[in-house]
C-alpha cells in the first residue's frame, strides 16, 4: 500500500510539474471585460498595451458589451481626452489581441455590424463568452 501511495504521489507531482511547465511555455490567457467605454475605454486599452509590452506571448481577448461596445464603433473617441479608439485598437490587434462585441448589445441598442471598425469580431453574448473563456478555457479575468 505504501508503494502504491508513493507511486500515486509521484505521478501527481510529475503531472503538476508538466502542467506548470506547459502553461509557462504557452504563455497565459486573459480576458479583459469592458462594459463602459467612458469609464474603462482608454484605461482598458492602456492596460492591454502594458500587458502586451511585458508579456507579448499572452493570449488576450477583449470582450465588450453594453456601453463598452462604443470603443469599437467607427469614429468613437474618449470624451475626456478626445482620443480616438480605433488607432489604439488597431495597434493592439496587430499584436494579436482579439476584440469581440456582444451581439445581444447590438440588438438591444439597435446597432448594425457595419457601424464598427474592421478590427471587430462578434460574439452572440458577451457575458456568456466571458464565462466560457474563464471556465472552459481557463482564461484569467481582468476588468479595468
Amino acid at each position: 500500500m505504501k508503494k502504491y501511495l508513493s507511486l500515486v504521489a509521484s505521478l501527481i507531482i510529475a503531472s503538476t510539474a508538466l502542467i506548470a511547465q506547459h502553461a509557462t511555455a504557452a504563455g497565459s490567457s486573459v480576458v479583459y471585460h469592458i462594459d463602459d467605454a467612458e469609464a474603462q475605454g482608454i484605461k482598458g486599452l492602456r492596460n492591454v498595451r502594458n500587458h502586451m509590452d511585458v508579456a507579448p506571448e499572452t493570449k488576450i481577448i477583449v470582450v465588450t458589451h453594453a456601453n463598452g461596445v462604443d470603443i469599437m464603433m467607427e469614429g468613437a473617441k474618449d470624451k475626456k481626452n478626445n482620443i480616438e479608439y480605433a488607432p489604439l485598437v488597431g495597434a493592439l490587434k496587430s499584436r494579436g489581441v482579439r476584440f469581440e462585441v456582444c451581439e445581444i448589445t447590438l440588438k438591444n441598442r439597435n446597432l448594425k455590424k457595419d457601424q464598427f471598425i474592421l478590427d471587430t469580431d462578434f460574439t452572440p453574448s458577451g457575458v456568456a463568452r466571458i464565462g466560457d473563456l474563464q471556465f472552459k478555457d481557463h482564461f484569467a479575468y481582468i476588468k479595468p
Side-chain angles (χ1 to χ4, degrees), residues 97-109:
V97 177
R98 183 177 171 94
F99 290 85
E100 298 183 6
V101 166
C102 171
E103 292 177 340
I104 292 173
T105 297
L106 269 61
K107 181 182 172 194
N108 290 343
R109 292 183 54 192

Side-chain angles (χ1 to χ4, degrees), residues 10-28 138:
S10 295
L11 288 172
I12 291 171
I13 291 169
S15 297
T16 303
L18 285 173
I19 291 168
Q21 182 181 11
H22 175 72
T24 302
S28 56
H138 308 289

Side-chain angles (χ1 to χ4, degrees), residues 60-110:
I60 296 178
I61 300 175
V62 177
V63 178
T64 66
H65 68 96
N67 291 332
V69 305
D70 294 357
I71 69 168
M72 301 303 295
M73 295 188 76
E74 194 69 50
K77 292 183 179 183
D78 175 74
K79 294 175 186 172
K80 286 186 264 182
N81 303 303
N82 200 32
I83 298 172
E84 192 172 343
Y85 295 119
L88 303 174
V89 169
L92 292 169
K93 182 83 171 187
S94 72
R95 296 174 74 181
V97 177
R98 183 177 171 94
F99 290 85
E100 298 183 6
V101 166
C102 171
E103 292 177 340
I104 292 173
T105 297
L106 269 61
K107 181 182 172 194
N108 290 343
R109 292 183 54 192
N110 236 0

